């Protein structure tokens, strides 16, 4: 039994929102209260939290744990100069074993004086293959050893939707654009299961420091295998909701796997399908063309009927759906399918599951209230609003009042759950909270008012998205995202109180100590 006292505890429980003492036993909260609780439970260990603020551990409701964990192991190529990047690569090459692939991410030729080339890498890594993805993920930079292994040469034709950058003699320069990146990436060996599990374990303290104790994972089979390995070895110290790719729906259906199966560490979430592409490459499915591209409306990867067929099969075994939808047309089609699905659930006497839409980036005005009406969760990433704002203005123009419209969803009464889509963005939830509350980037742009300030959330709403909202989406609202009797003892300590400090200070908040299942897993 542990008693934590002298704290400013935000419980996220409407019955008792603030407390100063919390009692914990066997990884769960047994009591929450005021000073009267401080001397209760004779045999308890008592810890003075010195007035720190306590929040429930935060959950990222949309993250790619495998890709994020592996990205942490790559060389960070986001440097001011090409020379600095080459220096980092050189240091890694010196430690590498023979034949080991040297991987990195984050370069951007616009911040450098010129495009990099294979020859730059050949000087520092003549033998080890080097493969470095650009920050945009729309380009990659390889050395000659990597190009040789992949058999990319002057005679290699450009693949569909891709281009091998070439010199005057037609020889590859080492830069691969768009789809051409796969010419080399297909040869990068997949990490072993043990290596992936290790990478995920190493990611945990980084996530705890950011304030996260839970994630909803959107990676696939390898990720699930590695998570089960960590779980079996008691190395998993994050609460993970594992979503299933729609390609495996048949297998899950045959097996009879259901949403919610598992335990407090690892549980089955929903079936993930993709309705469309993304805003950056203008592949998100739109009702009206993108600005300055009169022909392009993006495209649907599925139509509403096909999605309903998947959803019906899933519903028959008790699996919920979670569907990626960016453009207004894509969201419209998902909502139509969900409308049919709700009718089907009712007709068959099936439970009304907590279906979700991932991103909900742009809605048609007629569709804005439909998530609430159909009781569909809006799983959104507040930080996308500010990182995408310039692109959204450029490509969507006057449609942006209903882009990244977090407040519209809350006002309509929809359940929301917040995440980051890491590694696309940093998984730091305080960056997401900051974006939700200020609608500004870290550099202050687009100005004090923020982008579409009418969509700003209160601190309470923003924090709820990463706590109670994410917990609801995982069917775990009694266990996660709140600090009440019977909930898991997952919590974070903050030096500043986000509810009373200047919102500008919120972006730099990090956890001073993180508790998972009643144990301090991170202490400063
Ligand atoms: Zn994602």
């Amino acid at each position: 039994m542990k008693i934590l006292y002298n704290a400013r505890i935000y419980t996220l429980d409407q019955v008792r929102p603030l407390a100063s003492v919390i009692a914990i036993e066997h990884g769960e909260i047994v009591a929450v209260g005021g000073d009267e609780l401080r001397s209760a439970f004779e045999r308890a260990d008592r810890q003075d939290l010195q007035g720190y603020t306590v929040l429930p551990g935060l959950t990222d409701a949309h993250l790619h744990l495998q890709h994020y964990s592996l990205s942490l192991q790559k060389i960070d190529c986001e440097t001011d100069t090409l020379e600095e990047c080459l220096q980092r690569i050189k240091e890694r090459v010196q430690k590498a074993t023979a034949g080991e692939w040297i991987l990195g991410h984050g370069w951007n030729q616009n911040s450098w004086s010129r495009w990099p080339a294979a020859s730059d890498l050949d000087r520092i890594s003549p033998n080890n293959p080097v493969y470095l993805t650009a920050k945009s993920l729309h380009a990659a930079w390889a050395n000659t050893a990597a190009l040789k292994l992949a058999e990319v040469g002057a005679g290699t034709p450009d693949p569909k939707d891709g281009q091998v950058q070439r010199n005057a003699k037609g020889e590859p320069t080492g830069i691969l654009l768009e789809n051409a990146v796969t010419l080399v990436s297909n040869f990068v060996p997949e990490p072993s299961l043990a290596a992936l599990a290790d990478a995920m374990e190493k990611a945990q303290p980084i996530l705890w420091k950011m304030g996260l104790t839970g994630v909803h994972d959107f990676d696939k089979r390898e990720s699930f295998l590695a998570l089960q390995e960590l779980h079996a070895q008691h190395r998993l110290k994050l609460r993970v909701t594992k979503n299933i790719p729609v390609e495996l729906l048949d297998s899950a259906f045959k097996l009879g796997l259901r949403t919610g199966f598992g335990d407090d560490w690892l549980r089955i979430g929903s079936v993930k399908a993709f309705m469309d592409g993304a805003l950056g490459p203008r592949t998100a499915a739109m009702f009206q063309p993108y600005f300055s591209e009169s022909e392009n409306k993006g495209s649907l990867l599925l139509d509403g009927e096909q999605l309903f067929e998947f959803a019906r099969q899933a519903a028959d075994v008790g699996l919920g759906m979670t569907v990626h939808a960016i453009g207004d047309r894509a969201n419209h089609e998902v909502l139509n399918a969900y409308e049919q699905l709700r009718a089907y659930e009712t007709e068959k006497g099936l439970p009304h599951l907590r279906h979700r839409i991932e991103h909900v980036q742009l809605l048609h005005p007629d569709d804005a209230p439909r998530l609430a009406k159909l009781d569909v969760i809006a799983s959104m990433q507040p930080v996308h609003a500010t990182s995408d704002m310039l692109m959204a203005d450029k490509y969507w123009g006057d449609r942006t009042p209903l882009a990244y419209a977090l407040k519209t969803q809350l006002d309509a009464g929809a359940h929301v759950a917040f995440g980051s889509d890491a590694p696309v963005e940093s998984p730091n939830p305080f960056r997401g909270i900051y974006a939700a509350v200020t609608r500004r980037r870290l550099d202050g742009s687009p100005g004090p008012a923020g982008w579409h300030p009418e969509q700003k959330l209160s601190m309470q709403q923003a924090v709820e998205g990463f706590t109670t909202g994410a917990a609801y989406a995982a069917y775990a609202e009694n266990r996660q995202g709140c600090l009440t009797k019977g909930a898991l003892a997952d919590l974070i300590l903050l030096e500043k109180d986000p509810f009373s400090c200047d919102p500008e200070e919120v972006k730099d908040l990090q956890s001073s100590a993180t508790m998972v299942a009643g144990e301090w897993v991170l202490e400063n």
Side-chain angles (χ1 to χ4, degrees):
M1 166 82 78
K2 263 192 196 97
I3 288 187
L4 310 178
Y5 67 93
N6 187 19
R8 193 170 172 75
I9 303 169
Y10 289 92
T11 65
L12 273 291
D13 172 20
Q14 285 166 0
V15 179
R16 179 176 192 136
L18 257 177
S20 62
V21 181
I22 194 163
I24 293 159
E25 193 169 40
H26 304 307
E28 287 182 12
I29 295 166
V30 292
V32 182
D35 282 342
E36 75 287 349
L37 194 60
R38 188 173 156 175
S39 49
F41 306 107
E42 230 171 275
R43 287 156 185 269
D45 284 333
R46 278 161 236 279
Q47 191 176 354
D48 182 352
L49 295 187
Q50 297 166 353
Y52 270 65
T53 294
V54 174
L55 290 188
L58 305 177
T59 294
D60 188 318
H62 187 128
L63 173 140
H64 298 261
L65 191 56
Q66 172 184 353
H67 287 102
Y68 174 67
S69 303
L70 293 175
S71 76
L72 293 174
Q73 312 220 312
K74 290 180 184 165
I75 302 165
D76 178 5
C77 295
E78 200 172 348
T79 55
D80 292 337
T81 63
L82 171 60
E83 290 65 35
E84 210 179 319
C85 181
L86 291 170
Q87 183 56 35
R88 289 184 189 178
I89 297 160
K90 190 174 166 187
E91 283 162 22
R92 182 70 67 96
V93 172
Q94 282 163 352
K95 286 184 263 172
T97 53
E100 183 184 336
W101 280 75
I102 309 296
L103 304 175
H105 172 74
W107 59 272
N108 176 0
Q109 79 285 353
N110 293 316
S111 354
W112 297 345
S113 50
R114 61 169 171 89
W115 278 96
S119 53
D120 298 312
L121 298 171
D122 294 343
R123 277 193 288 277
I124 53 178
S125 186
N127 302 315
N128 287 78
V130 182
Y131 179 74
L132 312 162
T133 44
K135 188 163 171 63
S136 68
L137 289 172
H138 290 280
W141 170 26
N143 69 347
T144 300
L147 295 172
K148 263 197 187 136
L149 277 171
E151 294 177 22
V152 175
T156 308
D158 286 342
K160 187 178 176 297
D161 303 323
Q163 192 199 342
V164 178
Q165 199 187 69
R166 297 166 203 271
N167 63 19
K169 287 186 254 167
E171 292 157 348
T173 63
I175 297 298
L176 307 159
L177 300 165
E178 300 294 342
N179 246 353
V181 301
T182 59
L183 294 174
V184 174
S185 69
N186 287 340
F187 287 81
V188 177
E190 292 293 331
S192 68
L193 185 56
L196 177 55
D198 286 347
M200 284 182 175
E201 189 179 28
K202 287 192 183 119
Q204 292 187 129
I206 293 164
L207 298 173
W208 295 329
K209 183 89 199 149
M210 292 176 178
L212 292 167
T213 58
V215 299
H216 298 187
D217 178 42
F218 282 80
D219 279 329
K220 300 184 178 182
R221 181 175 181 270
E222 285 67 34
S223 179
F224 191 30
L225 282 166
L227 284 163
Q228 290 177 81
E229 174 115 341
L230 287 177
H231 184 304
Q233 296 167 354
H234 307 288
R235 295 156 69 199
L236 184 61
K237 295 286 162 64
L238 285 172
R239 314 294 181 177
V240 182
T241 298
K242 186 75 202 82
N243 296 294
I244 302 170
V246 72
E247 310 89 86
L248 299 178
L249 171 58
D250 252 337
S251 307
F253 175 85
K254 283 180 190 144
L255 180 61
L257 204 58
R258 291 172 52 142
T259 291
F261 174 73
D263 61 15
D264 286 322
W265 293 111
L266 182 56
R267 69 174 69 204
I268 297 294
S270 309
V271 174
K272 166 84 186 293
F274 280 86
M275 209 61 184
D276 65 348
L279 170 60
R282 275 99 67 214
T283 50
M286 305 296 299
F287 278 118
Q288 299 299 329
Y290 290 89
F291 262 40
S292 68
E293 280 180 286
S294 58
E295 296 297 307
N296 182 18
K297 296 185 189 175
S299 54
L300 286 170
L301 302 174
L302 294 172
D303 66 30
E305 266 313 307
Q306 288 168 306
L307 179 61
F308 172 63
E309 285 308 316
F310 288 133
R312 185 168 72 168
Q313 190 185 9
D316 283 339
V317 282
L319 280 168
M321 291 300 294
T322 175
V323 185
H324 165 113
I326 303 283
D328 51 6
R329 175 84 202 281
N331 278 284
H332 180 75
E333 292 289 332
V334 179
L335 287 162
N336 287 352
Y338 279 161
E339 200 167 296
Q340 268 184 287
L341 180 61
R342 287 303 190 205
Y344 180 78
E345 287 171 342
T346 303
E347 183 198 329
K348 297 278 172 181
L350 296 167
H352 281 228
L353 296 173
R354 297 176 186 178
H355 308 296
R356 319 167 33 150
I357 301 181
E358 300 305 314
H359 312 306
V360 200
Q361 275 182 14
L362 183 67
L363 288 178
H364 185 277
D366 295 344
D367 288 330
R370 287 177 77 200
L371 283 94
K373 219 174 118 209
L374 292 167
D375 201 12
V376 167
I377 296 166
S379 170
M380 302 177 79
Q381 299 74 37
V383 79
H384 281 172
T386 49
S387 42
D388 290 4
M389 64 187 181
L390 300 178
M391 272 196 307
D393 285 338
K394 184 167 161 198
Y395 300 134
W396 287 342
D398 57 6
R399 286 164 279 190
T400 54
L402 281 175
Y404 314 87
L406 308 171
K407 183 138 190 299
T408 299
Q409 287 310 310
L410 281 168
D411 288 349
H415 284 280
V416 299
F418 292 161
S420 68
D421 208 3
V424 174
E425 302 280 351
S426 160
N428 186 335
F430 288 103
R431 297 282 160 88
I433 290 170
Y434 175 75
V437 171
T438 67
R439 304 282 284 193
R440 301 170 76 192
R441 288 187 184 175
L442 298 178
D443 65 4
S445 61
W451 188 66
H452 286 290
E454 69 282 3
Q455 292 294 340
K456 279 184 193 173
L457 302 189
S458 68
M459 185 58 68
Q460 180 72 25
Q461 290 171 320
V463 170
E464 282 174 359
F466 286 100
T467 53
T468 50
Y472 177 85
Y475 302 80
E477 64 272 27
N478 297 320
R479 300 288 278 169
Q480 299 176 17
C482 61
L483 300 173
T484 54
K485 188 170 188 283
L488 298 165
D490 299 350
L491 53 85
I492 58 173
L493 252 58
L494 301 173
E495 209 170 322
K496 286 186 184 131
D497 177 352
F499 292 95
S500 63
C501 74
D502 180 340
E504 288 305 313
E505 293 181 297
V506 170
K507 58 178 183 244
D508 299 319
L509 283 179
Q510 48 183 21
S511 176
S512 300
T514 301
M515 176 179 275
V516 176
E519 304 297 330
W520 293 113
V521 290
L522 176 106
E523 276 181 287
N524 274 9

